[in-house]
Amino acid sequence: MMIGRKDMMKGKTALVTGASSGIGEATAERLAMAGYKVYGTSRRGAQAGQRSFALLPLEVTSDESVESAVRE
């Protein structure tokens, strides 16, 4: 992914699971820097801290949780 190509990424949306920490958080941050509108998800929901993306609660084993996150 070329960070310098933000114009190509405007209007794109990414949903990143496990975005509250580690690889998921790094991936979500990188996509946001590239110009994507990023929605990160976490079983624990939003914790305090500055992020360049929205963090939504999501339990991937629950259909109801998945539907709720997608509606957001």
Side-chain angles (χ1 to χ4, degrees):
M1 172 183 336
M2 296 177 4
I3 297 295
R5 303 295 308 247
K6 281 189 176 184
D7 55 324
M8 288 180 60
M9 302 307 155
K10 286 191 178 178
K12 303 278 184 179
T13 302
L15 180 67
V16 180
T17 59
S20 64
S21 63
I23 294 170
E25 183 176 29
T27 300
E29 289 289 349
R30 179 85 184 232
L31 288 168
M33 287 175 26
Y36 282 79
K37 171 64 179 167
V38 177
Y39 295 94
T41 66
S42 169
R43 288 179 304 195
R44 297 182 300 248
Q47 284 81 38
Q50 289 190 327
R51 293 185 173 88
S52 57
F53 58 90
L55 190 61
L56 307 172
L58 172 66
E59 174 53 61
V60 296
T61 62
S62 164
D63 291 342
E64 188 175 292
S65 180
V66 171
E67 289 172 11
S68 176
V70 170
R71 277 193 300 271
E72 289 282 327

